[in-house]
Every structure is written in C-alpha cells, then in structure tokens.
Amino acid sequence: HSQEHHMAESREYSLAKTKGEKSDRYADAILPTSSSADKPVITFRKWIKDFSKGRIPYKGNIALNPVDRTAVFDVYHQSTVYSTKCMGALKNAHKVRSLASGAAVVMCIWQPVCLGKLGTGALVGLFGAAALLAHKIAGMLTYMEHVTAEDN
C-alpha cells in the first residue's frame, strides 16, 4: 500500500531491520475481521513472517524514492471506487450536500413569515450544517490527509 510507503518514508516505522531488532509485528497488532479489506496485506505479511523468519534480507539501496502525497492519500482511487457501499455513501453525501445547500438558499430567499426571522435563520443554519457535514463525509471518501510529526 502506498500509505505504508509514506509511513516508512516518514520514519514512523522501519521495514529495513538490522540484526538483533525485533521483527515487524504489524500482523500481530491488528484485529482482522471476516470482511477486512486488509486481508491480502495481512496474509502477505504473515507469509513473509513465516518464510523469512521475520526479516527480509535486502541487498541494494534501502532509501525510498519520494512519493507524491496526493497519490498516497487518494482514498477514492484506492478504496472507494471498489466498494459499492462506499460509492453509494459518496453519492448520497453529494445529494445531501446539494439538497441542503439548495434548501438553505431557498429559505434565505423565501423567508417564510410563519417562522419569523429567528426561525428562518435557525433553518438556514441547520441546512448549512447538514451541507457542511455531507461535504466532510464526501471528503473523507475521496482524500484523507495524514499528518505526521515532521509536517508540523
């Protein structure tokens, strides 16, 4: 996964172990479920652990090439596209955002007398908050930034 590549690049963990260090315990540290999307990664790491005694002998340059952060954190092309539930959630988030924004604009223009200015303002705020929440959810399904200590 490109996220692992970024984490290794930012030195959050090291895949290049020296003799005497403990082996990578990633596969032991997660809780796999029957529908886990990480099952292939877990299986691969377990296979490496079983057949390499926890260490992969690597000859050559262990420096990693720089990675484009946009590609690393592109959740849409790495995950959302392949899940019907995530794509449905993304489409629904876009619909809710559009409808809530439209409703807020309509309430601002129409300004129903029966609600008064306070009631109209409250509804515009409610619709605005719903649009913002839907926007945030859609954002999480398309791109998720990972901030490391080095970024601050």
Side-chain angles (χ1 to χ4, degrees), residues 8-150:
E9 184 181 70
S10 65
R11 297 185 197 116
E12 291 199 21
Y13 69 89
S14 175
L15 294 176
K17 302 284 183 190
T18 58
K19 290 184 180 178
E21 288 187 44
K22 292 183 179 179
S23 63
D24 185 12
R25 308 260 315 165
Y26 174 81
D28 299 333
I30 60 166
L31 180 64
T33 61
S34 61
S35 62
S36 175
D38 290 331
K39 220 174 212 179
V41 175
I42 295 166
T43 305
F44 177 67
R45 285 182 170 267
K46 187 174 180 185
W47 180 82
I48 287 175
K49 182 180 174 186
D50 292 344
F51 289 99
S52 69
K53 311 267 188 297
R55 185 177 191 290
I56 302 172
Y58 182 79
K59 294 179 183 178
N61 184 7
I62 62 171
L64 299 171
N65 295 331
V67 176
D68 178 25
R69 292 178 71 90
T70 307
V72 172
F73 300 112
D74 181 10
V75 177
Y76 180 79
H77 289 102
Q78 292 182 21
S79 176
T80 304
V81 170
Y82 303 107
S83 170
T84 56
K85 290 181 181 180
C86 289
M87 283 301 291
L90 182 61
K91 288 177 183 175
N92 288 338
H94 285 289
K95 287 177 189 175
V96 168
R97 182 178 62 188
S98 297
L99 290 172
S101 298
V105 168
V106 166
M107 291 302 290
C108 284
I109 294 170
W110 178 37
Q111 295 182 355
V113 178
C114 63
L115 296 176
K117 291 188 182 221
L118 186 61
T120 302
L123 276 179
V124 168
L126 180 67
F127 288 134
L132 179 63
L133 179 63
H135 178 73
K136 293 290 186 183
I137 290 171
M140 288 190 299
L141 291 168
T142 54
Y143 183 83
M144 192 173 297
E145 182 70 33
H146 175 77
V147 179
T148 62
E150 292 176 2

